[in-house]
Amino acid sequence: MNFYQTDSLSALQAKFEAQKIAFGPIAFQATLALRDLGVLAAIEKHGKSGVAAADIAAELGLSEYGVKVLAEAGLGMGLLLWNEEVRTFSTTKVAYFVLHDPMTRANMDFVQDINYRGFLHLQEAITSGRPAGLQTLGNWPTLYEGLAHLEPKAQKSWLTFDHFHSDAAFSAALRHVFRHKPRQLLDVGGNTGRWTLQCLAYDSAVQVTIADLPGQLAMAKANLAASEHADRIGYYAVNLLDQADALPTQHDAIWMSQFLDCFSESEIVTILQRAASVMGPQDNLFILEAFWDRQQYPAAAYCLQQTSLYFTCIANGNSQMYHSGNMKECLAKAGLVVVEDIDSLGISHTLFRCQKPA
């Protein structure tokens, strides 16, 4: 990946990009309004012929003024096209993705419902080293303590975002994990239990223990109680920010998916040390993460880099979406080595298979 090694824009192009950043929050809210008020969908129905602002307003029960200012903003954002002769609007490919692309919807809802208000406190988060924006969601030390208690819309947006970016990678990772035939798998940071369920369905002999905070375990138990595999699931409450909390023993494989990015590098080292302490010489630790330096496309790297700031401002104040080299350094400090390194799982993920050195 060499997306960031040259500055190829002209001065005029660069100045335009700077203006996009300057008006970015307004553009985001305008796009959300165009989507959620039904304006984009109403325009899309008319195809290339387009539709006038007055007709959209009448169809949706909005004022012509409101439709006009939103739609004109959409022109500059690349969402809409303008036919000067008949004064009609029509949609672009960008509008199509805003309306119909699950990733775009998941990202936008996550930004709106989890991040938007809190990011007024980003500078405070940077200077204080704590998630200063979290106060807009609730009074918890980190988001993870409060995840089970978020108001329903925000919780749904968080889970949809989290699941969208992990689900495709999960199905791709299963064959790599079960090639090693684990019988007792420890799912650290198991959240709602989606990976656990996929493992149990994939291999009828495996037993899985979910290790997580009590609130997340309660969510997982509620989700998994009716599963036909419930008798092969164990639960282990642990707070890995407490260095006195140990991981359970008697597992031949440990799984950490989108988990270590929730911690600072020093915290990652202590977690990995605790994992290593309960691993035998042939046991595997699987780490599934989206590293910004391993992406095939600039858009993927961009999304991960911006997501890092969610951790800074909202989630915990000290973690991020990491460069793969940083994670390997943490593994080395914990006395573990990467014995297998697999890129391009799902949308953007990398799988490390780690062991104690021989």
Side-chain angles (χ1 to χ4, degrees), residues 107 113 126 150 183-184 261 300 304 327 330 354:
N107 287 346
D113 297 332
I126 293 289
L150 287 174
R183 300 299 80 181
Q184 298 283 341
D261 54 46
L304 293 172
M327 191 63 67
C330 291
C354 311

Side-chain angles (χ1 to χ4, degrees), residues 94-106:
V94 178
Y96 174 87
F97 283 105
V98 168
L99 282 171
H100 304 294
D101 175 45
M103 178 169 68
T104 303
R105 181 168 290 270

Side-chain angles (χ1 to χ4, degrees), residues 12 23 27 92 107 126 129 163 179 235-237 261 273 281 283 356:
L12 189 61
F23 284 91
T92 66
N107 287 346
I126 293 289
H163 293 162
R179 181 160 43 89
Y235 300 93
Y236 185 88
D261 54 46
Q273 286 171 336
D283 292 349
K356 289 183 174 181

Side-chain angles (χ1 to χ4, degrees), residues 167-204:
D167 281 358
F170 281 177
S171 58
L174 281 168
R175 63 187 177 88
H176 296 291
V177 172
F178 282 92
R179 181 160 43 89
H180 304 279
K181 301 188 185 308
R183 300 299 80 181
Q184 298 283 341
L185 188 144
L186 178 63
D187 182 0
V188 181
N191 209 337
T192 59
R194 291 169 81 88
W195 168 255
T196 288
L197 271 184
Q198 291 198 34
C199 290
L200 296 169
Y202 192 89
D203 188 319
S204 61

Side-chain angles (χ1 to χ4, degrees), residues 8-326:
S8 58
L9 297 179
S10 69
L12 189 61
Q13 291 170 326
K15 190 169 185 177
F16 185 25
E17 292 302 313
Q19 306 324 301
K20 290 180 185 178
I21 294 170
F23 284 91
I26 295 174
F28 175 83
Q29 290 297 338
T31 302
L32 203 70
L34 283 162
R35 186 195 77 177
D36 292 351
L37 292 174
V39 177
L40 282 183
I43 296 173
E44 184 184 56
K45 287 192 303 186
H46 291 269
K48 292 183 179 179
S49 61
V51 60
D55 295 329
I56 303 165
E59 178 183 339
L60 298 176
L62 300 171
S63 71
E64 182 179 352
Y65 165 78
V67 170
K68 187 160 66 76
V69 293
L70 283 175
E72 288 174 359
L75 294 172
M77 293 185 288
L79 292 164
L80 297 172
L81 298 174
W82 173 247
N83 185 325
E84 177 66 32
E85 291 183 6
V86 291
R87 298 199 172 187
T88 58
F89 297 95
S90 57
T91 54
T92 66
K93 297 186 203 61
V94 178
Y96 174 87
F97 283 105
V98 168
L99 282 171
H100 304 294
D101 175 45
M103 178 169 68
T104 303
R105 181 168 290 270
N107 287 346
M108 287 187 70
D109 290 348
F110 173 69
V111 169
Q112 171 69 0
D113 297 332
I114 298 295
N115 294 283
Y116 203 88
R117 289 178 301 146
F119 263 68
L120 289 172
H121 304 277
L122 177 60
Q123 293 187 36
E124 181 186 351
I126 293 289
T127 56
S128 69
R130 60 180 184 83
L134 180 57
Q135 62 187 292
T136 61
L137 296 173
N139 185 27
W140 311 292
T142 72
L143 181 70
Y144 310 110
E145 284 95 333
L147 182 58
H149 309 289
L150 287 174
E151 63 92 15
K153 189 171 184 287
Q155 186 183 85
K156 181 177 184 293
S157 293
W158 190 95
L159 291 171
T160 299
F161 175 82
D162 183 70
H163 293 162
F164 180 87
H165 291 283
S166 63
D167 281 358
F170 281 177
S171 58
L174 281 168
R175 63 187 177 88
H176 296 291
V177 172
F178 282 92
R179 181 160 43 89
H180 304 279
K181 301 188 185 308
R183 300 299 80 181
Q184 298 283 341
L185 188 144
L186 178 63
D187 182 0
V188 181
N191 209 337
T192 59
R194 291 169 81 88
W195 168 255
T196 288
L197 271 184
Q198 291 198 34
C199 290
L200 296 169
Y202 192 89
D203 188 319
S204 61
V206 71
Q207 296 192 9
V208 182
T209 299
I210 301 175
D212 212 327
L213 292 165
Q216 269 82 315
L217 285 185
M219 291 173 65
K221 287 178 181 178
N223 288 335
L224 304 177
S227 168
E228 61 183 299
H229 309 297
D231 61 332
R232 290 190 282 137
I233 306 172
Y235 300 93
Y236 185 88
V238 63
N239 178 4
L240 289 172
L241 286 174
D242 183 346
Q243 295 193 32
D245 271 13
L247 290 170
T249 58
Q250 307 302 313
H251 294 86
D252 53 12
I254 300 174
W255 171 262
M256 297 180 181
S257 169
Q258 294 182 180
F259 174 71
L260 294 175
D261 54 46
C262 300
F263 300 92
S264 70
E265 290 185 49
S266 61
E267 290 166 346
I268 289 171
V269 172
T270 69
I271 292 167
L272 292 174
Q273 286 171 336
R274 279 173 277 175
S277 72
V278 297
M279 290 171 61
Q282 300 303 314
D283 292 349
N284 289 305
L285 165 63
F286 296 96
I287 297 172
L288 185 72
E289 285 287 348
F291 299 116
W292 65 259
D293 65 302
R294 295 292 190 94
Q295 302 309 306
Q296 298 181 62
Y297 303 107
Y302 173 85
C303 290
L304 293 172
Q305 290 156 349
Q306 308 317 306
T307 301
S308 282
L309 294 173
Y310 144 76
F311 289 104
T312 305
C313 191
I314 306 293
N316 55 33
N318 62 7
S319 73
Q320 65 172 103
M321 304 304 294
Y322 286 100
H323 186 289
S324 62
N326 297 132

